[in-house]
Amino acid sequence: MQKNTIKNLLRLNDEPYTYVDEMTSHNILIDNCNEFMETLVKFYNEWSDFETDIKLPLKQVFVNNNDIAGDYRLMPCSIESMHLKFVKIIGTNEEQRKVKDKISVGKALLIDYFDNYAYAVFDVCAFSSFRTAAISVLALHCSNISLEKVGIIGTGRIGFYTAFILYKWHNIKSFTVCDTNEKNYQNFVALCKHYMPDVTIEHKQKESLLNNSEAVFLATTASESLLNVSNSKHIRFISSVGADADNLSEIDASLLNSHRLITDSFQSTCLGDMKKWNLNTRSDTIPTELKHFILEKYQENLKVLFISTGIAVQDALICKFIYDKMNAVDHNI
């Protein structure tokens, strides 16, 4: 009996899907940076209109046993009015036995609204890094703080995308950076020369960067806090996105005394620094979700501490954006 005959008898119909590799995501987001940022702004401004439509289960984090470093995470969501169903399975590749020099691994799926099959499969590293940078810059944008001196601590993928979005969307052309990893710094410089040839980059030690910055973006793998009220109380905007696991830390709790705490979602309080601070049991410090902060009026002399560990809604939006661009589909949300 022929293979196709058996297949027909078993009714094993194929499930058509598009595979989106890392460089495809990267190129689309680089080429359409400002449009994606405006899409993100529009969504957050209209979040309340989607509130009853959005299903956002808590991110599930599975920590490895037997002294194996890293974890893997399950991140689902759906937005009914957009006919958008999504799930991401992302791993923290600290062991790097087979996949080298790539900390974020895994796949994300856009799921057909009616038939529930995966119609698009994405590599996760590039788009996850870009959306992490994007949500940081969006928080700055929503803070209505005009800045000239910007510091970036951590010059990996997220650090580069942060600089690129600030350059393209906010026309910032000067950055002070800090990174103890020389390879990451050299890669950052090479990428900036290619994509932002008119940008000025200064490489300084952390304390010098902090003393001379009005805004600081952190995207590190630090295990102990880097910023505290002693070295950073003068900084008007701080974004921390690197401490997205319980063994990582970027911010000391003392900064809660000088800055207003904003987060992308209350889900982010379940990991990293905010989990260490036990915010869920404290009444003196209640973070404001970005979707509410964005609707507030400008507050003079406001100092903002923004912390994100990522949520699936951001991933779903960016994957839909990439897929629509690949297929020349108008996306209005």
Side-chain angles (χ1 to χ4, degrees):
M1 190 177 289
Q2 295 294 319
K3 179 181 177 179
N4 284 341
T5 302
I6 295 174
K7 180 180 177 181
N8 291 333
L9 290 171
L10 290 171
R11 308 185 312 284
L12 300 178
N13 298 319
D14 292 337
E15 301 175 23
Y17 69 92
T18 300
Y19 169 59
V20 186
D21 63 21
E22 301 285 22
M23 283 306 298
T24 298
S25 292
H26 167 82
N27 288 332
I28 287 174
L29 293 169
I30 289 289
D31 291 343
N32 300 277
C33 173
N34 288 2
E35 184 179 346
F36 174 71
M37 292 307 298
E38 294 300 331
T39 299
L40 203 57
V41 169
K42 187 174 187 293
F43 182 83
Y44 270 85
N45 269 297
E46 298 176 357
W47 185 299
S48 59
D49 297 334
F50 295 96
E51 194 81 50
T52 58
D53 287 346
I54 295 175
K55 293 181 181 178
L56 184 61
L58 187 66
K59 179 193 309 183
Q60 297 182 54
V61 181
F62 300 89
V63 179
N64 291 324
N65 297 319
N66 304 319
D67 297 323
I68 299 173
D71 61 51
Y72 70 97
R73 302 161 185 214
L74 180 64
M75 301 173 64
C77 80
S78 65
I79 305 176
E80 183 72 17
S81 60
M82 294 172 61
H83 286 187
L84 179 59
K85 296 180 179 179
F86 173 86
V87 65
K88 181 169 79 168
I89 303 173
I90 184 169
T92 306
N93 177 28
E94 293 187 38
E95 293 284 332
Q96 301 194 15
R97 300 186 187 188
K98 294 181 180 179
V99 180
K100 305 297 183 183
D101 198 21
K102 188 179 182 184
I103 192 67
S104 296
V105 293
K107 294 290 183 285
L109 310 176
L110 287 174
I111 299 170
D112 184 79
Y113 182 72
F114 298 100
D115 291 358
N116 292 311
Y117 70 91
Y119 67 86
V121 180
F122 298 76
D123 288 337
V124 299
C125 187
F127 84 73
S128 296
S129 298
F130 193 97
R131 70 93 160 122
T132 301
I135 205 68
S136 279
V137 179
L138 177 64
L140 170 63
H141 179 81
C142 297
S143 300
N144 292 313
I145 298 174
S146 298
L147 300 169
E148 294 182 1
K149 299 178 181 179
V150 176
I152 298 175
I153 301 179
T155 56
R157 299 178 188 91
I158 296 172
F160 163 69
Y161 285 134
T162 299
F164 180 80
I165 297 169
L166 287 168
Y167 169 82
K168 291 291 289 187
W169 199 41
H170 275 249
N171 199 35
I172 295 176
K173 296 185 177 181
S174 178
F175 301 99
T176 303
V177 302
C178 174
D179 202 322
T180 57
N181 186 318
E182 182 64 20
K183 180 183 177 183
N184 281 355
Y185 171 67
Q186 293 300 333
N187 289 347
F188 178 89
V189 171
L191 287 165
C192 288
K193 286 182 178 179
H194 178 71
Y195 289 106
M196 303 173 280
D198 55 338
V199 155
T200 300
I201 302 168
E202 289 188 88
H203 193 197
K204 294 186 177 182
Q205 296 297 314
K206 183 188 75 172
E207 294 306 322
S208 179
L209 180 150
L210 295 177
N211 288 335
N212 293 281
S213 296
E214 295 176 322
V216 174
F217 293 83
L218 297 100
T220 74
T221 56
S223 57
E224 296 183 0
S225 60
L226 301 172
L227 272 63
N228 55 60
V229 73
S230 297
N231 63 17
S232 303
K233 64 181 178 182
H234 65 283
I235 298 173
R236 300 181 65 195
F237 178 87
I238 299 168
S239 172
S240 168
V241 298
D244 65 342
D246 293 341
N247 62 323
L248 302 176
S249 178
E250 292 183 327
I251 302 296
D252 184 79
S254 60
L255 272 169
L256 298 176
N257 297 319
S258 58
H259 288 68
R260 180 176 174 186
L261 179 60
I262 311 297
T263 186
D264 54 346
S265 167
F266 285 131
Q267 285 198 13
S268 285
T269 65
C270 298
L271 289 168
D273 285 321
M274 290 191 290
K275 180 180 179 180
K276 292 183 178 70
W277 302 337
N278 295 315
L279 291 184
N280 291 331
T281 61
R282 291 175 55 172
S283 59
D284 58 329
T285 302
I286 300 175
T288 301
E289 286 190 299
L290 185 59
K291 64 187 180 184
H292 299 307
F293 180 65
I294 198 173
L295 298 176
E296 294 183 9
K297 294 182 179 179
Y298 171 69
Q299 299 181 36
E300 191 173 358
N301 298 320
L302 179 68
K303 293 180 181 177
V304 171
L305 169 59
F306 175 74
I307 300 179
S308 167
T309 63
I311 55 173
V313 164
Q314 300 158 10
D315 293 317
L317 292 174
I318 201 167
C319 285
K320 181 180 185 298
F321 182 87
I322 293 167
Y323 181 83
D324 287 353
K325 284 297 177 185
M326 288 180 65
N327 294 275
V329 175
D330 290 333
H331 54 285
N332 296 306
I333 63 175

